[in-house]
Amino acid sequence: MVLAQDGITPIRLVCLDLAGTTIGDVAMVERAFAEAIATQGIVPGTGAYARAMVHVHRSRGCSTIDVFRGIFPDNEAQAQAANLTFERSYEGAIARAGLVPLPGVVEALDKLRGADIKVCLTTGFSRTTLSRVLSTLSWSEKIDLALCPEDAGHGRPLPNMVLTAVMRLGVEDVRQVAVAGDSENDMLCGRRAGASVVAGILTGVHSRERLLNGGATHLLDSVADLPELLLGVTPVAPPVVAAVH
């Protein structure tokens, strides 16, 4: 466990997003969303397609089925069909190309766990897709837990996954949690859960402004910078934080 300094609550748990934060698969995810939407009759070159992809971008970090429910609000069957296509497309891309951790991520995981900080991966993917990702990465010895919305009842921006990690991993105080992700919804989730560190990671889908709007306490170029922030090797000044919604 990281020792407290100057009254700062020690961090015992880090909740890390997957796509765009720890693995560099943003383009794969975007293509899978586009293919899923197209199978439901919303094709590229139309206004409906453009609006749907804007919704996808704004909703990154959320449960994938909730993203499709936002696109097809009056048709649950269509949302479920699109989600199934998304899963097949994304998992097919993994099978063809594999997954590559972003630079410095593996080393960061080792540093965090070496400092007795527990690591939980969180995602908007289904349990089936998350299992495929984990088997591809072979990170079983580098993390303590991996959660999807099905495990917690709800996905981001609600705080359920972070709070579920707190309970399952025996963390006594939500202030002992750090959350890191590349989307505004990651930031909202972390703030709503009560995490003391909510780090916006600039390797993914949302801009600095969007991350701050979600309530980021810090902005980092990548997850590789997270151990320095949490272990106090190099103090990182927090940005001016916008109001949390």
Side-chain angles (χ1 to χ4, degrees):
M1 181 177 68
V2 180
L3 297 177
Q5 297 178 355
D6 299 325
I8 298 174
T9 302
I11 296 299
R12 294 189 55 213
L13 167 64
V14 174
C15 292
L16 292 172
D17 174 53
L18 269 174
T21 300
T22 55
I23 52 178
D25 62 345
V26 171
M28 292 167 60
V29 173
E30 291 284 338
R31 283 195 298 271
F33 272 118
E35 290 177 15
I37 292 166
T39 63
Q40 301 305 308
I42 301 179
V43 296
T46 64
Y49 178 84
R51 289 191 295 273
M53 291 308 292
V54 167
H55 176 78
V56 166
H57 182 74
R58 289 176 177 169
S59 303
R60 287 299 296 270
C62 296
S63 166
T64 55
I65 183 58
D66 286 343
V67 175
F68 289 116
R69 283 172 177 152
I71 297 171
F72 308 107
D74 301 317
N75 195 326
E76 177 66 14
Q78 198 171 18
Q80 292 286 351
N83 192 57
L84 181 59
T85 301
F86 169 86
E87 292 180 352
R88 289 173 175 170
S89 175
Y90 181 67
E91 291 178 31
I94 293 175
R96 292 188 300 272
L99 289 172
V100 179
L102 288 165
V105 168
V106 173
E107 293 81 0
L109 295 177
D110 290 340
K111 288 178 183 177
L112 292 171
R113 297 195 75 218
D116 202 23
I117 298 176
K118 295 184 183 299
V119 175
C120 174
L121 297 179
T122 60
T123 183
F125 296 147
S126 69
R127 170 51 60 180
T128 300
T129 303
L130 175 57
S131 296
R132 174 63 65 87
V133 169
L134 294 176
S135 65
T136 302
L137 292 172
S138 299
W139 278 0
S140 60
E141 296 183 357
K142 297 188 178 297
I143 64 171
D144 298 279
L145 185 64
L147 295 174
C148 65
E150 297 164 52
D151 300 318
H154 292 283
R156 296 180 287 241
L158 295 179
N160 296 42
M161 287 194 290
V162 173
L163 297 178
T164 297
V166 166
M167 291 185 289
R168 290 196 185 182
L169 295 174
V171 176
E172 297 176 353
D173 190 331
V174 291
R175 292 173 297 177
Q176 296 174 323
V177 178
V179 172
D182 67 306
S183 75
E184 183 178 8
N185 288 303
D186 289 305
M187 304 299 96
L188 289 168
C189 173
R191 292 302 294 265
R192 290 169 178 176
S196 60
V197 173
V198 181
I201 307 299
L202 298 172
T203 52
V205 292
H206 285 169
S207 65
R208 299 170 63 93
E209 291 72 24
R210 290 289 298 276
L211 295 170
L212 289 173
N213 190 55
T217 60
H218 297 78
L219 294 176
L220 301 177
D221 289 333
S222 75
V223 169
D225 299 324
L226 191 60
E228 291 186 359
L229 171 64
L230 300 183
L231 302 178
V233 177
T234 303
V236 180
V240 176
V241 179
V244 180
H245 302 303

